[in-house]
Amino acid sequence: MDETEVRALALGLPETREQPHFAMTSFRVRGSIFATMPPERDQIHVFVPEENVHEAVSEQPEACEELWWGQKLDGVKVTLAEADPGLMNELLVAAWRQKAPKKMVADWQSSRQDTTA
């Protein structure tokens, strides 16, 4: 994967905006950051629950590593060149769902079920 593909996945989620965050770019839903990309654009930091971190690291250790903020396991750091598109999408969706308003998530899930039925 590359930054263009990751950007398309992130911005494809409802009400997602890309905004600067210090030296990085960030992906936000209603102002809440769910992922950041360092200036080199070769990695993305995705803020997912701990169980998602462990799954990603065990499924794709060559692409994923734990992301720590001090003493807190805060997400997963993904090396884009090694990332599987399916896993990248799962991580971004999990991070977005954690930050998006519950009604927005429910409406989005409902609309996706309508299109797959």
Side-chain angles (χ1 to χ4, degrees), residues 24 28 56 67 95 101:
M24 298 188 209
R28 303 169 186 238
L67 177 65

Side-chain angles (χ1 to χ4, degrees), residues 4-48:
T4 303
E5 294 167 310
V6 169
R7 182 174 278 114
L9 288 173
L11 294 174
L13 296 167
E15 295 191 37
T16 295
R17 303 288 178 263
E18 184 174 0
Q19 294 180 305
H21 180 68
F22 300 99
M24 298 188 209
T25 191
S26 68
F27 298 98
R28 303 169 186 238
V29 56
R30 295 213 179 150
S32 293
I33 296 174
F34 65 89
T36 58
M37 194 180 302
E40 301 80 18
R41 307 290 196 252
D42 61 344
Q43 294 182 330
I44 188 165
H45 304 161
V46 188
F47 305 109
V48 292

Side-chain angles (χ1 to χ4, degrees), residues 42-104:
D42 61 344
Q43 294 182 330
I44 188 165
H45 304 161
V46 188
F47 305 109
V48 292
E50 192 170 325
E51 59 270 9
N52 294 92
V53 174
H54 297 305
E55 282 178 28
V57 171
S58 68
E59 282 181 33
Q60 287 203 328
E62 67 285 351
C64 301
E65 62 182 276
E66 294 176 347
L67 177 65
W68 289 85
W69 183 262
Q71 299 291 318
K72 180 181 180 227
L73 181 57
D74 207 31
V76 63
K77 185 186 306 185
V78 182
T79 301
L80 299 182
E82 304 295 329
D84 172 74
L87 179 62
M88 189 75 256
N89 188 59
E90 286 177 30
L91 289 171
L92 288 168
V93 168
W96 176 87
R97 289 175 60 141
Q98 185 171 262
K99 298 292 183 165
K102 292 186 184 336
K103 178 158 179 18
M104 183 189 299

